[in-house]
Amino acid sequence: MSTTEKAKGFASEFKQFIARGNVMDMAVGVIIGGAFKSIADSLVSDIINPILGIFTGGSSDLSSLSFSLPGGGNLMLGNFINAVLNFLIMALVVFCIVKTLNTFHDKLAKKQEEEPEEPPEPSNEEKLLTEIRDLLKEK
């Protein structure tokens, strides 16, 4: 197999991969997740930080909480706490979304199980063959 054939094969596989619905759903999820991250960042920095800042010495911003280290560095504890809070908020939202989708999926699957499929009505050929069979049984 030549290099151009491999490239064409790779390109066609990639095209099939992109055309699947799951990839598009994932792309939409990533975009919405990125947009929601800015909401979570704002919640932490604009609402939670000032409240927690009251308990850390009256500072209005928790991200400014830091400790000087011997040797000249700063331990930026506030920034770390912000990152942890952002992660927990995003994890909670993703958990709620997945839990809701799983509940919906389970209800849909249960509904499909409860409604058994009725057998399809026999075709005209099957009806005629059944009549012929019944007539032969009578003889």
Side-chain angles (χ1 to χ4, degrees), residues 8 34 37 44 55 75 79 91 109:
K8 287 180 183 179
K37 184 184 179 319
V44 170
F55 301 108
L75 182 67
N79 287 338

Side-chain angles (χ1 to χ4, degrees), residues 1-2 4 13 29 47 52 71 84 91 106 110 118-119 126 130:
M1 183 179 267
S2 70
T4 55
E13 281 184 63
I47 295 174
L52 292 178
V84 169
D106 290 344
K110 189 179 286 186
E118 295 180 20
E126 291 173 337
T130 304

Side-chain angles (χ1 to χ4, degrees), residues 39-80:
I39 294 171
D41 289 343
S42 176
L43 174 68
V44 170
S45 65
D46 298 333
I47 295 174
I48 295 175
N49 270 350
I51 293 170
L52 292 178
I54 294 170
F55 301 108
T56 60
S59 174
S60 64
D61 188 9
L62 186 65
S63 65
S64 64
L65 179 64
S66 64
F67 298 101
S68 295
L69 297 174
N74 285 333
L75 182 67
M76 303 299 292
L77 187 60
N79 287 338
F80 178 73

Side-chain angles (χ1 to χ4, degrees), residues 112 115-119:
Q112 288 177 348
E115 297 175 4
E117 292 184 22
E118 295 180 20

